[in-house]
């Protein structure tokens, strides 16, 4: 095992989703981010979507001013978002595809189709001192293309692997999970060879993250340097935090 610890970026979009559901002042996005940092998160990740369905512009500003760890802004490869990112100055931008109707980011970037646009965004962001990762399917072609487009890192989309580990492909699930984990490994090893950082995210839970975190490169160094995880953490927080929340409310009622 390499001495270098892997990094955890906590995606706190769901915290904003809860707030937006009712338009309440809580939960406070910065408070949530600071709790994540206290618990060991090395990065706070948010996705500022075009439809602003959860994270708002102000949230990103507050996080930039208030967190001590790295800020990773997931965003579409658009002029408007590049302009916003340059104004705020996150440590990282992760370029992601965005479809209006999707529940969550459904796939990796279509690099070939959008090569010119992505390259322009990468160049502009890097010029502003922001490091750039590209959210891609774990394929060799996509890793090579990401390198060519000037990205500092690839974030490998692990959705298919994770879905398979949760039985999402029926009887084929075990075989699909094994195949997908191999794809992730092969893509990561190529990234390493090309001198590009290897991140991963989407769909991880507390079990399926383990085999991915244990992947090694040819030199027996851990392969995936950074994980960006949201849904499973916020879901777990609702379970482990519920008892305390109920106690606090009960006490507010019986001992006002
Ligand atoms: N990485 C990227 C690029 C994403 O779009 C998302 C989902 O917003 C994540 C990581 C986190 O995925 P999950 O919420 O499934 O852990």
């Amino acid at each position: 095992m390499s001495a270098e610890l892997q990094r955890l970026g906590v995606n706190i979009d769901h915290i904003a989703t809860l707030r937006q559901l009712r338009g309440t002042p809580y939960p406070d996005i910065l408070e949530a981010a600071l709790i994540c940092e206290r618990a060991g998160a090395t990065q706070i990740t948010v996705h500022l979507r075009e439809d602003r369905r959860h994270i708002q512009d102000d949230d990103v500003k507050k996080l930039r001013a208030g967190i001590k760890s790295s800020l990773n802004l997931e965003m579409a490869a658009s002029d408007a978002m590049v302009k916003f990112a340059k104004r705020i100055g996150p440590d990282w931008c992760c370029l992601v595809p965005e479809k209006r109707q999707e529940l969550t980011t459904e796939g990796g970037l279509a690099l070939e189709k959008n090569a010119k646009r992505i390259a322009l965004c990468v160049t502009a962001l890097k010029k502003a001192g922001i490091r750039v990762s590209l959210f891609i399917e774990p394929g060799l072609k996509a890793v090579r293309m990401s390198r060519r487009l000037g990205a500092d890192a690839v974030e490998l989309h692990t959705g298919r692997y994770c879905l398979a580990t949760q039985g999402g492909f029926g009887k084929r699930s075990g075989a699909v999970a094994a195949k997908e984990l191999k794809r992730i490994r092969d893509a990561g090893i190529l990234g390493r060879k090309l001198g590009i950082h290897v991140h991963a995210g989407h769909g991880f839970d507390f079990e399926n993250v383990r085999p991915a975190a244990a992947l090694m490169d040819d030199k027996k160094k851990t392969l995936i340097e950074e994980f960006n995880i949201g849904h499973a953490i916020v879901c777990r927080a609702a379970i482990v935090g519920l008892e305390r929340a109920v106690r606090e409310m009960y006490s507010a009622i019986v001992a006002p």
Side-chain angles (χ1 to χ4, degrees):
M1 182 79 172
S2 149
E4 206 164 306
L5 286 179
Q6 290 142 304
R7 301 186 299 273
L8 172 62
V10 180
N11 181 312
I12 55 172
D13 292 350
H14 281 11
I15 300 292
T17 298
L18 286 173
R19 182 195 60 203
Q20 297 304 108
L21 268 176
R22 289 279 187 95
T24 46
Y26 57 83
D28 184 88
I29 203 82
L30 181 58
E31 188 183 0
L34 296 178
I35 291 169
C36 295
E37 285 186 335
R38 275 209 303 280
T42 46
Q43 174 162 275
I44 301 301
T45 295
V46 288
H47 184 175
L48 184 65
R49 295 186 72 100
E50 191 188 41
D51 61 13
R52 304 298 196 266
R53 69 170 75 151
H54 38 55
I55 294 292
Q56 307 295 306
D57 298 36
D58 260 3
D59 292 331
V60 188
K61 285 181 205 158
K62 271 189 208 151
L63 291 169
R64 176 65 300 173
I67 67 168
K68 291 186 195 73
S69 62
S70 166
L71 178 63
N72 177 30
L73 177 62
E74 294 175 0
M75 57 181 233
S78 71
D79 293 342
M81 283 311 308
V82 168
K83 203 170 152 197
F84 177 80
K86 281 167 71 177
R87 228 178 46 240
I88 302 293
D91 300 276
W92 281 88
C93 275
C94 178
L95 298 183
V96 301
E98 233 179 71
K99 294 189 206 116
R100 266 190 179 264
Q101 301 307 325
E102 68 190 357
L103 279 178
T104 179
T105 317
E106 281 166 0
L109 286 161
L111 295 180
E112 304 241 350
K113 196 170 143 211
N114 303 302
K116 210 169 149 193
R117 159 154 299 282
I118 292 169
L120 282 173
C121 292
V122 172
T123 307
L125 291 166
K126 285 176 71 170
K127 219 170 132 190
I130 302 165
R131 304 177 87 192
V132 184
S133 67
L134 299 180
F135 191 46
I136 59 166
E137 290 300 318
L140 302 183
K141 210 169 151 194
V143 174
R144 274 192 210 101
M145 187 80 181
S146 300
R147 181 76 189 88
R148 232 176 291 140
L149 293 172
D152 298 289
V154 285
E155 179 165 325
L156 303 175
H157 191 311
T158 50
R160 217 175 129 79
Y161 159 70
C162 293
L163 187 62
T165 63
Q166 294 163 349
F169 295 89
K171 282 190 194 144
R172 293 190 301 121
S173 294
V176 175
K179 190 170 152 226
E180 287 299 317
L181 192 62
K182 184 176 180 312
R183 280 182 81 212
I184 292 165
R185 180 169 187 268
D186 291 347
I189 285 179
L190 178 62
R192 194 46 74 68
K193 277 192 186 130
L194 296 176
I196 194 166
H197 294 288
V198 180
H199 305 169
H202 215 287
F204 280 121
D205 61 32
F206 291 82
E207 291 310 316
N208 62 24
V209 73
R210 296 172 198 271
L215 290 174
M216 299 279 176
D217 69 10
D218 295 339
K219 293 180 187 132
K220 296 265 178 274
K221 228 179 139 196
T222 47
L223 189 60
I224 299 174
E225 299 158 61
E226 175 182 303
F227 291 83
N228 285 295
I229 306 178
H231 184 75
I233 294 174
V234 178
C235 289
R236 179 79 183 137
I239 295 300
V240 298
L242 200 53
E243 183 173 338
R244 175 156 170 198
V246 172
R247 282 187 200 287
E248 284 179 6
M249 187 58 85
Y250 189 64
S251 138
I253 291 166
V254 298

